[in-house]
Amino acid sequence: MEELLDAQHPEGGRPTPEPLDDARGEGAEDPKSHRSVPRSAAFRRFIAQGWGPRPAEDTAPSAAAPFAARRRAALSALFPGEVLVVPAGPLVRRSNDTDYRFRPHSAFAHLTGLGTDREADAVLVLHPRTPADGGDDAEGVDAAGGGHEAVLYLRPQGSRDSEEFYADARYGELWVGPRPGLAAQEAVTGVPCRDAAALADELGAWVAAPGTRGLRVVADADPAVTALVAPLRTAAAEEVAAADDELVTALSELRLVKDEWEVGELRRAVAATARGFEEVVRALPRAVGHPRGERVVEAAFDGTARVEGNGVGYETISAAGDHACTLHWIRNDGPVRAGDLLLLDAGVEADSLYTADVTRTLPVDGRFSEPQRRVYRAVLDAADAAFAVARPGVRFREVHEAAMRVIAERLAQWGVLPVDAAASLEPGGQYHRRWMAHGTSHHLGLDVHDCAQARREMYLDAELRPGMVFTIEPGLYVKAEDELAPPELRGIGVRIEDDVLVTEDGVENLSAALPREPDAVEAWMASLRG
């Protein structure tokens, strides 16, 4: 395991430390690196000395731990007798010798409860367990002896007498701080933790054990781990790929219905997002006077997200004027002008990695013009129509269909469709989609587009169930150069997006604290500007 990790993260790909040559000028130099790292025995003895104990580690059990255990049990029941490998993933290089901030793979976070920027290179393994192994308490164990034991493989804390401690800018304690100890992580997660160096041997033993039916891995999470397990599998490449795809699909579908803890984290993310929108309204006067006003808006929201949570759950869309008609406008380098609309699509990601996804379209100077209000009202009516049908037992796609009926009818009233609304709504028509090319809803959770690997019958064609969380986000986008649209509507883009929890008898709008009605939006903006 260590050799594979080292091959993936070569020395030349690490940031350059300051020169640390000892008093005699000793220290080996790497001819392929600009680094100057002392390696003399004297220096290594010296730097290892004089350190007090590390600060006490947090060993309080995570509030997510019991919920993560239930998720692992549900996964175990789907793949009896098989070894399941779910890596957190490696650090990812941004450019040259700098890395992106680490984010674990969503499946790993879901099954361990670990969020924020922990734990690069970690691997969760579920291996088959039977009552004969003491398996009555195994996750997913049943009367027939099924079930799995979970083991979490991590890099242990580095030794202060190692070169890594002072010279490795990716993993060294002087550079990035101490790693949690294995015992501490075991206490936090409730999962037995072992040194990652043991992974290869233990995987081999489990795969070779009598009764083991095979091995599956989340293949795209960590190339080093995927390479590690390759020799342990004897099936044809197509069968291996199909087995791994089935695991990824199952992991995605496990997240379709959120548990109590997940809903709490989503509430936390949405509440922080509402505070971010408030900061944007306060920043609008400054944005109007700046040549890159969209970035003033982006900075106001993203700064709140970083303070209130882990950061943003996706790249913020700060789109003023005609930029609002570009669905995923993330350059955010344009001006914000009085009289225009600002479309802000943004979400705070909590430390647990659960993210909100909310859009409001705001009049920059605090008041909608008549054409802006006309488009805004059409979109709001479409959103309300979607809310009206959303409840347990309704198919996911019916939410979209309800919104589309309103969009088509309003466009027909404006005279922009070549047919009537009913004809446009037919599969062979869809002319109204020129002005709303995206879907009305997507699942929300650890990923902004959560559960994306779920099968169609479990997602688009599935019935809504209590605990599902998704968005309702219709829009209308009339580009400035759109010659089919009335002149007064050109350059107007509107989207209204809310985060929705399915309850036992309907839905709850988690983002209802942010106003939606145009008069309420204007009053809210005025109250924040003082």
Side-chain angles (χ1 to χ4, degrees):
M1 179 65 176
E2 291 299 321
E3 290 81 6
L4 284 164
L5 292 171
D6 289 342
Q8 190 176 352
H9 310 309
E11 287 285 324
R14 293 168 179 164
T16 305
E18 292 296 322
L20 290 173
D21 295 276
D22 66 16
R24 294 176 296 163
E26 295 178 359
E29 300 290 345
D30 181 351
K32 295 183 180 180
S33 173
H34 297 162
R35 305 193 317 159
S36 179
V37 180
R39 292 186 171 88
S40 69
F43 178 82
R44 292 181 66 161
R45 285 193 300 271
F46 175 73
I47 199 169
Q49 296 172 1
W51 303 103
R54 292 185 175 97
E57 295 187 80
D58 182 6
T59 57
S62 166
F67 295 93
R70 292 172 204 159
R71 299 166 200 157
R72 295 192 299 270
L75 181 67
S76 170
L78 296 175
F79 300 101
E82 298 190 63
V83 178
L84 309 176
V85 182
V86 184
L91 293 164
V92 177
R93 188 158 302 145
R94 182 181 187 274
S95 178
N96 192 25
D97 59 359
T98 58
D99 294 322
Y100 287 105
R101 190 184 303 276
F102 178 70
R103 185 197 191 281
H105 193 282
S106 293
F108 177 89
H110 190 240
L111 296 175
T112 63
L114 294 173
T116 61
D117 56 355
R118 301 181 298 177
E119 292 280 338
D121 307 316
V123 182
L124 176 71
V125 177
L126 275 65
H127 68 85
R129 189 176 182 187
T130 68
D133 302 316
D136 288 338
D137 60 344
E139 291 168 351
V141 72
D142 56 33
H148 289 75
E149 179 183 9
V151 180
L152 190 54
Y153 292 88
L154 306 163
R155 286 177 175 264
Q157 279 189 337
S159 169
R160 286 168 168 166
D161 63 0
S162 69
E163 185 174 310
E164 178 195 87
F165 173 71
Y166 68 89
D168 189 329
R170 251 188 170 177
Y171 297 102
E173 184 174 335
L174 286 186
W175 291 83
V176 298
R179 289 190 293 276
L182 300 184
Q185 286 293 67
E186 184 165 328
V188 169
T189 63
V191 179
C193 294
R194 300 180 191 170
D195 189 331
L199 176 61
D201 289 342
E202 295 190 5
L203 273 178
W206 287 326
V207 170
T212 298
R213 302 177 185 176
L215 179 149
R216 300 177 192 247
V217 63
V218 180
D220 66 349
D222 190 328
V225 176
T226 301
L228 178 71
V229 304
L232 303 177
R233 312 215 274 186
T234 58
E238 295 81 3
E239 294 178 25
V240 166
D244 290 346
D245 286 346
E246 288 177 359
L247 174 61
V248 169
T249 296
L251 289 166
S252 195
E253 292 175 356
L254 279 178
R255 306 208 303 269
L256 283 167
V257 175
K258 271 57 181 180
D259 58 38
E260 176 186 349
W261 183 84
E262 291 177 287
V263 171
E265 289 302 297
L266 286 164
R267 290 186 188 278
R268 188 192 311 272
V270 171
T273 297
R275 292 189 286 273
F277 273 75
E278 292 174 355
E279 289 304 311
V280 164
V281 172
R282 296 186 181 104
L284 277 176
R286 183 162 48 93
V288 171
H290 196 285
R292 300 174 110 184
E294 290 175 342
R295 293 210 177 163
V296 174
V297 169
E298 178 186 10
F301 184 87
D302 289 11
T304 304
R306 188 65 179 148
V307 171
E308 297 265 356
N310 191 48
V312 292
Y314 54 95
E315 292 293 329
T316 296
I317 297 172
S318 173
D322 190 51
H323 287 166
C325 300
T326 300
L327 300 181
H328 286 172
W329 176 260
I330 59 172
R331 285 168 56 185
N332 302 341
D333 60 357
V336 174
R337 299 184 178 93
D340 279 349
L341 295 177
L342 170 77
L343 189 158
L344 179 65
D345 186 333
V348 173
E349 178 184 82
D351 288 340
S352 60
L353 305 182
Y354 287 80
T355 184
D357 180 11
V358 178
T359 306
R360 290 293 184 267
T361 304
L362 310 174
V364 171
D365 56 8
R367 303 286 293 182
F368 291 99
S369 69
E370 188 283 325
Q372 290 169 350
R373 187 178 281 257
R374 194 189 323 165
V375 177
Y376 189 96
R377 172 52 64 184
V379 174
L380 183 58
D381 288 349
D384 287 345
F387 269 98
V389 303
R391 60 185 181 276
V394 169
R395 295 192 183 279
F396 192 81
R397 55 180 161 78
E398 294 179 56
V399 177
H400 173 72
E401 291 166 357
M404 287 300 94
R405 283 192 290 272
V406 175
I407 294 295
E409 289 165 0
R410 211 57 53 90
L411 289 168
Q413 292 172 12
W414 297 343
V416 301
L417 297 180
V419 296
D420 63 21
S424 186
L425 288 164
E426 291 293 327
Q430 300 294 301
Y431 300 102
H432 56 285
R433 298 300 295 275
R434 171 188 174 107
W435 293 278
M436 184 183 156
H438 61 81
T440 302
S441 301
H442 59 77
H443 280 271
L444 185 66
L446 277 165
D447 293 323
V448 66
H449 292 164
D450 208 27
C451 314
Q453 285 75 42
R455 292 165 292 173
R456 181 185 178 93
E457 62 265 29
M458 297 296 290
Y459 197 127
L460 186 61
D461 293 332
E463 293 183 354
L464 300 181
R465 290 182 283 162
M468 286 183 169
V469 179
F470 59 91
T471 65
I472 291 179
E473 51 174 311
L476 277 171
Y477 314 92
V478 188
K479 293 185 71 64
E481 66 270 24
D482 189 344
E483 295 181 351
L484 296 185
E488 70 273 17
L489 303 186
R490 295 174 190 172
I492 295 178
V494 174
R495 180 161 66 251
I496 303 169
E497 179 181 19
D498 287 288
D499 300 342
V500 178
L501 168 67
V502 182
T503 63
E504 293 295 333
D505 56 1
V507 293
E508 177 188 350
N509 184 355
L510 299 177
S511 46
L514 286 170
R516 301 164 73 247
E517 288 286 340
D519 290 346
V521 170
E522 291 177 348
W524 171 69
M525 293 180 69
S527 71
L528 291 170
R529 290 177 168 183

